[in-house]
Amino acid sequence: MKKTLLLLCAAALFCAPSVGAIDFGVDLRIKAGADIPAPIIVADPPLFLVPPTLGFQVAVGVPYDMFCIDGSFYLHKGGAWHVAPGYNGPWKIIEHRHLPPGLAKRRLGDMLALRDAEYGNYRKNKNQYGGKSYRPKKEKGNGNGKGKGRGDR
């Protein structure tokens, strides 16, 4: 029974009309070390707001989830936390347990919701915005990660 079924399948494959050319290829990938993530580049100083319930600065209007606490910049990207002395780097990965308490004790989603709400309030009441805002000075190096980014505090 098994032989008959096998012969019928083989006959069907050989007798079936050809649909097109068979695409055959070989892909050899050689990987040495970890994937290199895309660089984090923030060319212009972002605007930071301080949502009252957070108590620290959060960047708005940039494509990154960035925070500033005690003169250090923290960024969450690709499931990892990064730290830098300036808003445009140089960035290095930091373990969650080494984050400042304000960041470590809160869920990222909650912080982003507070950021978005505060940014909405800022945009709606830009001229009469009563909250705290801060924009660092432009770092030298045009986004290559060599500036200090301390700004006016």
Side-chain angles (χ1 to χ4, degrees):
M1 178 75 166
K2 289 182 182 178
K3 286 184 181 181
T4 305
L5 186 59
L6 185 61
L7 286 172
L8 286 173
C9 288
L13 285 174
F14 286 114
C15 295
S18 176
V19 176
I22 296 174
D23 186 18
F24 180 79
V26 176
D27 184 12
L28 298 176
R29 295 179 189 221
I30 300 172
K31 186 174 179 179
D35 290 336
I36 298 173
I40 298 168
I41 298 173
V42 183
D44 293 316
L47 173 65
F48 286 88
L49 301 177
V50 182
T53 53
L54 273 184
F56 52 84
Q57 301 169 358
V58 58
V60 295
V62 293
Y64 302 109
D65 301 325
M66 185 187 303
F67 308 88
C68 183
I69 300 175
D70 295 330
S72 292
F73 293 79
Y74 299 88
L75 185 141
H76 190 267
K77 179 182 179 222
W81 282 99
H82 301 75
V83 63
Y87 68 83
N88 71 351
W91 297 97
K92 67 178 184 174
I93 292 179
I94 184 173
E95 293 180 23
H96 187 272
R97 64 188 171 114
H98 295 299
L99 290 173
L103 278 178
K105 71 179 181 180
R106 294 182 181 268
R107 290 180 6 165
L108 179 62
D110 294 341
M111 292 186 290
L112 299 181
L114 290 169
R115 173 201 64 191
D116 294 345
E118 192 69 16
Y119 191 37
N121 183 30
Y122 172 83
R123 291 188 330 181
K124 184 178 178 183
N125 303 307
K126 202 172 199 175
N127 294 333
Q128 291 90 24
Y129 178 68
K132 294 180 183 178
S133 64
Y134 157 76
R135 189 179 302 271
K137 287 183 180 177
K138 175 87 172 167
E139 294 181 3
K140 295 186 189 319
N142 298 324
N144 64 4
K146 294 185 179 174
K148 294 292 182 195
R150 301 289 187 217
D152 296 323
R153 296 195 191 267

